[in-house]
Amino acid sequence: MNIGDVARQSGLPPKTIRYYEDIGLIRPQRSENGYRSFREQDAHKLAFLARARALGFTIEDCRTLMALYEDEHRESLQVKAVAEEHLRQIDEKIAQLQSMRATLDTLINACSGDHRPDCPILQDLAQDMSDPAM
C-alpha cells in the first residue's frame, strides 16, 4: 500500500509518517524506484504510534513502547514503568496548571476592570522575579 493508503488507514498525515520513517520508528519497504511500500503491519504500527502520541507519550517513549510491543519476551513490568512515569509527568503538569489557574483567578478578581489605569494583573507581570521580597 502507498503512503496515502496507510495515512487514511492509520489516521496520520503523510508528513508524520515520513517523519516517523526518518527517525526510525517505522521501516517501510522500498520498491526499485524508491517508492515506499507499506505492509499491513506498518499500518498497525502507525495506528499504535498515533494512539500513543494522542495519550501524550514522547517520541522516545513511543520508541520504547514500540520496542516492547515488538518484543515477545517483554515483561509487562517494563511497559507499566513507562506508563507510570508518563502519568507522573501528567500529574505534575496538572499541578502546575492548577497553580497557574489559581494565580490568574486571584489576579482577575483583584482587578477592577474599569477605566482606571492601575491593574494588579500588569503589576504582577511586571514584578522582578529576582527580587528576594517576592
Coordinates of all heavy atoms in Angstrom, one line a residue, residues 55 83-99:
L55 N -2.1 10.0 23.6 CA -2.0 9.9 25.0 C -0.9 10.7 25.6 O -0.7 10.8 26.8 CB -1.9 8.5 25.5 CG -3.2 7.6 25.3 CD1 -2.9 6.1 25.6 CD2 -4.3 8.1 26.2
A83 N 4.5 3.7 31.4 CA 3.2 4.4 31.6 C 3.1 5.1 32.9 O 2.5 6.2 33.0 CB 2.1 3.3 31.4
E84 N 3.6 4.5 34.0 CA 3.6 5.2 35.3 C 4.4 6.5 35.3 O 4.0 7.5 35.9 CB 4.1 4.2 36.4 CG 3.1 3.1 36.7 CD 3.7 2.2 37.8 OE1 4.9 2.0 37.8 OE2 2.8 1.6 38.5
E85 N 5.6 6.5 34.7 CA 6.4 7.7 34.6 C 5.6 8.8 33.8 O 5.7 9.9 34.2 CB 7.7 7.4 33.9 CG 8.6 8.6 33.7 CD 8.9 9.5 34.9 OE1 8.8 9.0 36.1 OE2 9.2 10.7 34.8
H86 N 5.0 8.4 32.7 CA 4.2 9.3 31.9 C 3.1 9.9 32.8 O 2.8 11.1 32.7 CB 3.7 8.7 30.7 CG 3.0 9.6 29.8 ND1 3.5 10.8 29.3 CD2 1.8 9.6 29.2 CE1 2.7 11.4 28.5 NE2 1.6 10.7 28.5
L87 N 2.4 9.1 33.5 CA 1.3 9.5 34.4 C 1.8 10.5 35.5 O 1.2 11.5 35.8 CB 0.6 8.3 35.0 CG -0.6 8.6 35.9 CD1 -1.7 9.4 35.1 CD2 -1.2 7.4 36.5
R88 N 3.0 10.2 36.0 CA 3.6 11.1 37.0 C 3.8 12.5 36.4 O 3.6 13.5 37.0 CB 4.9 10.5 37.5 CG 5.5 11.3 38.6 CD 7.0 11.0 38.9 NE 7.9 11.3 37.7 CZ 8.2 12.6 37.4 NH1 7.8 13.6 38.0 NH2 9.0 12.8 36.3
Q89 N 4.3 12.5 35.1 CA 4.6 13.7 34.4 C 3.3 14.5 34.2 O 3.2 15.7 34.3 CB 5.3 13.5 33.1 CG 6.8 13.0 33.4 CD 7.4 12.6 32.1 OE1 6.9 12.6 31.0 NE2 8.7 12.2 32.2
I90 N 2.2 13.8 33.8 CA 0.9 14.4 33.6 C 0.4 15.0 34.9 O -0.1 16.1 34.9 CB -0.1 13.4 33.0 CG1 0.3 13.0 31.6 CG2 -1.5 13.9 33.1 CD1 -0.5 11.8 31.0
D91 N 0.5 14.3 36.0 CA 0.1 14.8 37.3 C 0.8 16.0 37.7 O 0.3 17.0 38.2 CB 0.2 13.7 38.4 CG -0.8 12.6 38.3 OD1 -1.9 12.8 37.6 OD2 -0.6 11.5 38.8
E92 N 2.1 16.0 37.4 CA 3.0 17.2 37.7 C 2.5 18.4 36.9 O 2.4 19.5 37.4 CB 4.4 16.9 37.4 CG 5.4 18.0 37.7 CD 6.8 17.5 37.5 OE1 7.3 16.6 38.1 OE2 7.5 18.1 36.6
K93 N 2.2 18.2 35.6 CA 1.7 19.2 34.7 C 0.4 19.7 35.2 O 0.1 21.0 35.2 CB 1.7 18.7 33.3 CG 1.3 19.8 32.3 CD 2.4 20.8 32.1 CE 2.1 21.8 31.0 NZ 3.1 22.8 30.8
I94 N -0.5 18.9 35.6 CA -1.8 19.3 36.1 C -1.7 20.1 37.3 O -2.3 21.2 37.5 CB -2.7 18.0 36.4 CG1 -3.2 17.3 35.1 CG2 -3.9 18.4 37.3 CD1 -3.8 16.0 35.3
A95 N -0.7 19.8 38.2 CA -0.5 20.6 39.4 C 0.0 22.0 39.0 O -0.4 23.0 39.6 CB 0.5 19.9 40.4
Q96 N 0.9 22.0 38.1 CA 1.4 23.3 37.6 C 0.3 24.2 37.0 O 0.1 25.4 37.2 CB 2.5 23.1 36.5 CG 3.8 22.6 37.1 CD 4.8 22.2 36.0 OE1 4.4 22.2 34.8 NE2 6.0 21.8 36.4
L97 N -0.6 23.5 36.2 CA -1.7 24.2 35.6 C -2.7 24.7 36.6 O -3.3 25.8 36.5 CB -2.4 23.3 34.5 CG -1.6 23.1 33.3 CD1 -2.3 22.0 32.4 CD2 -1.5 24.4 32.5
Q98 N -3.0 23.9 37.7 CA -3.9 24.3 38.7 C -3.3 25.5 39.5 O -4.0 26.5 39.8 CB -4.1 23.2 39.7 CG -5.0 22.1 39.1 CD -5.2 20.9 39.9 OE1 -4.3 20.5 40.7 NE2 -6.3 20.2 39.8
S99 N -2.0 25.5 39.7 CA -1.4 26.7 40.4 C -1.5 27.9 39.5 O -1.8 29.0 40.0 CB 0.1 26.3 40.6 OG 0.8 27.5 41.2

